[in-house]
Amino acid sequence: MQLLTYTSPRLLLASKGKHIREITDVYTAPVYDEAGNIIEEEHKPLYSTVIFPGSQIETLAQAKKLYIEEDIERTEE
Amino acid sequence: MAENLINLSTLFSGDNLALNTEGAGLNYLLNVGSDIADSAFYSYATAQNNLAKGQFISNLIPYDYSALSQTTNGLYLTVTGYSNPFYCFMRYMFEDVTSKALGGQNTFFAFYSEDKTLLGLTALTNDGLTPSCNYTNSTDGTIFAVDPTSASYSGSTPESLIPQDWSQVKYVRFNCYPNSSNSSLADDSLITTSSISNFQVFRGNTLAKTTADRLQKIIDTKAALKTALNRKGCTITDSTPFAEYATQAANIETGITPTGIIDITTNGTVDVTNYASANVNVVSDYNVKMLDTNLESNGSYNISTFITQLPDTISVVAGDRNHLFEGMKRIYKLPSITNDSQITSANYFASSCENLGIIPDYNMSQCTSFDCAFLGIYTATGLTIGSIDMSSATSINKMFQSTSPEVKTELAGFPNLGKAYLTTAIANYANYRLDLRYLETLTEQSAINVLNNLYDIKTKGCNVQQVYFINLATDNFTSAEYTQAVANATAKGWTVRIIED
């Protein structure tokens, strides 16, 4: 993951073969009641390969407090 | 001789046929009250060699005198002993003044054309009737002198002094001559605003007409009365005697006074003549065409599914209006809301309106929550959403979730979104996220509109928040305007994320 600050808008790019999700955006399995009815939907994280970060994010370190990158292959399993 | 004069104040009062009652009453061409009351006027006049120089009374209103000749015809016919109608005209005006020992030979009127050329001059003796003054015209036509002591014209005012063409008269000047040996009574200290309030030149069309004019007025009034009565159901023809007009008028039915409320619960024709209002509440599947125009309660209505059309405009009760328009699967266009700014919560607003195509502008500036608003709109056509002010929004969770118009999605933007965000909220706060990733057919201009309308939360001091677009839409965005809009949004503290499908 790299932060390009010399472009306008600035870019937060995923490394090759990877993509980015929010650190707090994690997979959660569906929840069913006793009758087998789904009561809580499955949640799949959202991924990006390019993000235009808000101006409060000035450094890559700051970006990494909010986003993390993962291998694309692993998330598709 | 005064008893031979017409008292114009009588003519102008009440419902006198001499009046043109269709007019606005008196119109003043010249009311010199405030001007002449100023003693400085007389001081000036003296200094200028007895008004040797023309001093036009200020604020005279240019007036087309073409009507005056007609007016004075009526007056002329009525008054005997005064061959010139203008004498009567002036005599009336001076009547009050002469009683205060002013006027007479010391007073005259001068008449000027548009370019202030002197067209005529007339003066009055002490009795206010007989002209008695000499005059000389200046070379340039704007300066003249008056010698009231000459008494050269003690008999009558030479006709040549009276404007021969009244239509050319655009200005009237009233002058006094207070320093003459014959004007010892002409003390300007006696002149008060009230005493000269009658110095008015009356507009012609308010004055009396001839007898023929009066008869014509009656004829015209009769014709108007006939038309009015026939509109009320009378049957008056040209041959109907005038006396019968009153009879038919007396027989006009005045109708009933509707009172009470009638409840209408079924379709059909209902006689509502006797009722002041009708409470219509017809509930029938597939027959409901319109919704009541005042939605007073929260909640999702089962009937919503069957509503096919809404009024163009509705009002809502102020406050939280969650679930408004929810589940109206057959509605294509939402109505304008007259008091949309009074809505304080709009969760599930227009959600599950599967065939919605048009959402107008809404001023939701007082609305704090839009959770699940515009959720689940799957329209097979396009979806156009007007500008929605979100100045107070602090929760937009799941807004537009699962909404995916097939043709295109057009957004005018959400002005001031972020304005109410707290500076203490964490970065990437879920409730603050504008998630548009379901809008796969979002147009480029819509993305620009959205981004450019976001509030500057960076300057406000908020942590960074996010806008989501789906790459299926943004892959086609190539314009410099879009790139600039993204830069604008990021500068204002918003992270723009392109979500992969």
Side-chain angles (χ1 to χ4, degrees):
Chain A
M1 186 163 61
Q2 58 178 326
L3 178 66
L4 303 184
T5 58
Y6 50 82
T7 61
S8 178
R10 296 174 308 134
L11 297 172
L12 183 64
L13 298 176
S15 303
K16 186 177 181 180
K18 296 187 176 185
H19 52 187
I20 303 169
R21 66 168 171 84
E22 287 180 54
I23 286 181
T24 57
D25 186 14
V26 295
Y27 176 84
T28 56
V31 178
Y32 300 89
D33 62 14
E34 294 177 349
N37 299 314
I38 190 166
I39 57 175
E40 201 168 301
E41 296 282 350
E42 173 191 41
H43 175 76
K44 296 178 179 179
L46 302 175
Y47 290 96
S48 302
T49 55
V50 58
I51 294 174
F52 306 101
S55 55
Q56 297 94 326
I57 302 173
E58 297 176 332
T59 65
L60 184 59
Q62 288 177 317
K64 287 184 175 178
K65 290 181 179 178
L66 297 173
Y67 302 101
I68 188 171
E69 63 178 359
E70 296 174 347
D71 293 335
I72 293 176
E73 293 76 18
R74 189 173 63 189
T75 59
E76 291 176 347
E77 290 175 357
Chain B
M1 297 179 73
E3 64 272 16
N4 292 326
L5 294 173
I6 282 182
N7 186 339
L8 293 184
S9 62
T10 300
L11 285 178
F12 292 135
S13 65
D15 186 17
N16 192 311
L17 284 175
L19 281 175
N20 179 356
T21 54
E22 294 176 354
L26 291 177
N27 293 287
Y28 306 143
L29 168 69
L30 168 61
N31 185 342
V32 297
S34 60
D35 300 294
I36 208 73
D38 186 355
S39 60
F41 176 86
Y42 300 95
S43 299
Y44 176 85
T46 301
Q48 296 300 319
N49 188 23
N50 298 330
L51 291 177
K53 282 192 174 182
Q55 171 63 31
F56 288 94
I57 298 171
S58 61
N59 300 323
L60 294 187
I61 306 170
Y63 180 65
D64 182 358
Y65 261 78
S66 59
L68 187 60
S69 59
Q70 301 171 12
T71 299
T72 54
N73 282 340
L75 203 57
Y76 173 71
L77 291 173
T78 305
V79 179
T80 59
Y82 305 102
S83 59
N84 191 314
F86 201 75
Y87 291 174
C88 306
F89 183 56
M90 288 196 299
R91 178 63 183 85
Y92 169 72
M93 292 187 286
F94 277 80
E95 192 170 35
D96 183 52
V97 174
T98 52
S99 69
K100 293 179 171 58
L102 182 69
Q105 64 187 37
N106 311 306
T107 309
F108 61 87
F109 276 90
F111 306 94
Y112 296 86
S113 63
E114 182 81 65
D115 61 359
K116 298 181 181 176
T117 299
L118 180 65
L119 296 177
L121 173 69
T122 188
L124 302 176
T125 59
N126 280 332
D127 66 4
L129 299 174
T130 307
S132 179
C133 70
N134 200 354
Y135 84 104
T136 54
N137 208 348
S138 67
T139 54
D140 64 4
T142 61
I143 301 173
F144 64 95
V146 177
D147 180 7
T149 65
S150 66
S152 299
Y153 301 99
S154 57
S156 63
T157 300
E159 199 63 27
S160 60
L161 298 183
I162 301 300
Q164 297 302 299
D165 184 359
W166 286 102
S167 65
Q168 297 302 310
V169 176
K170 300 299 180 184
Y171 296 94
V172 180
R173 187 178 73 172
F174 165 73
N175 283 333
C176 286
Y177 196 99
N179 293 327
S180 165
S181 60
N182 285 349
S183 59
S184 58
L185 297 178
D187 181 354
D188 65 280
S189 67
L190 296 175
I191 303 176
T192 64
T193 301
S194 61
S195 71
I196 60 171
S197 61
N198 284 329
F199 280 49
Q200 300 157 351
V201 174
F202 297 103
R203 184 172 175 169
N205 64 6
T206 63
L207 294 178
K209 301 292 181 65
T210 65
T211 300
D213 291 332
R214 298 174 186 176
L215 288 174
Q216 185 60 47
K217 182 65 179 175
I218 294 173
I219 293 170
D220 293 343
T221 304
K222 179 185 174 187
L225 187 59
K226 170 191 145 190
T227 301
L229 289 173
N230 284 338
R231 285 176 180 165
K232 294 292 185 181
C234 297
T235 53
I236 296 176
T237 66
D238 290 339
S239 60
T240 303
F242 198 17
E244 189 182 322
Y245 283 39
T247 304
Q248 291 207 27
N251 292 332
I252 295 174
E253 292 185 5
T254 56
I256 56 138
T257 302
T259 58
I261 302 173
I262 181 174
D263 290 323
I264 300 175
T265 57
T266 59
N267 294 318
T269 302
V270 179
D271 183 0
V272 298
T273 305
N274 295 321
Y275 299 93
S277 63
N279 183 13
V280 181
N281 186 22
V282 181
V283 180
S284 177
D285 290 355
Y286 298 99
N287 284 326
V288 177
K289 299 298 182 186
M290 305 286 284
L291 184 70
D292 187 277
T293 56
N294 198 359
L295 304 175
E296 296 188 355
S297 62
N298 288 326
S300 176
Y301 302 86
N302 292 333
I303 197 174
S304 299
T305 302
F306 306 107
I307 296 173
T308 60
Q309 182 184 351
L310 290 170
D312 291 336
T313 302
I314 69 166
S315 62
V316 298
V317 176
D320 292 354
R321 295 275 70 84
N322 299 320
H323 302 282
L324 190 59
F325 306 126
E326 181 185 10
M328 296 185 178
K329 301 178 185 299
R330 301 180 180 208
I331 294 296
Y332 176 72
K333 179 182 180 182
L334 291 187
S336 297
I337 302 175
T338 56
N339 58 338
D340 44 7
S341 64
Q342 297 177 340
I343 295 175
T344 53
S345 182
N347 295 333
Y348 292 93
F349 182 89
S351 64
S352 301
C353 295
E354 296 178 358
N355 292 295
L356 201 55
I358 299 175
I359 299 175
D361 294 346
Y362 287 124
N363 175 12
M364 297 281 204
S365 57
Q366 300 301 314
C367 186
T368 59
S369 184
F370 291 86
D371 290 347
C372 301
F374 314 113
L375 171 149
I377 302 173
Y378 309 110
T379 176
T381 59
L383 174 62
T384 299
I385 302 179
S387 174
I388 300 176
D389 192 309
M390 292 191 175
S391 297
S392 298
T394 54
S395 187
I396 57 173
N397 199 20
K398 296 183 179 178
M399 192 167 72
F400 288 104
Q401 180 168 296
S402 301
T403 287
S404 182
E406 292 184 15
V407 179
K408 67 177 178 180
T409 307
E410 295 179 308
L411 304 179
F414 311 104
N416 296 317
L417 178 63
K419 186 175 183 179
Y421 286 7
L422 299 176
T423 57
T424 54
I426 62 173
N428 292 356
Y429 183 39
N431 285 350
Y432 288 177
R433 183 171 54 226
L434 178 58
D435 186 354
L436 304 178
R437 64 189 151 103
Y438 292 96
L439 305 178
E440 298 179 358
T441 57
L442 187 71
T443 65
E444 185 170 21
Q445 184 58 52
S446 297
I448 294 170
N449 294 341
V450 169
L451 295 171
N452 285 339
N453 277 290
L454 294 170
Y455 192 77
D456 186 351
I457 60 174
K458 167 73 181 304
T459 300
K460 185 181 180 184
C462 295
N463 286 312
V464 66
Q465 304 302 337
Q466 298 183 105
V467 179
Y468 285 0
F469 293 127
I470 187 72
N471 64 342
L472 296 176
T474 60
D475 284 350
N476 299 317
F477 297 170
T478 57
S479 71
E481 289 80 7
Y482 168 70
T483 302
Q484 184 59 52
V486 173
N488 293 342
T490 58
K492 290 188 286 188
W494 294 80
T495 290
V496 180
R497 274 193 71 183
I498 310 301
I499 304 297
E500 297 171 350
D501 65 328

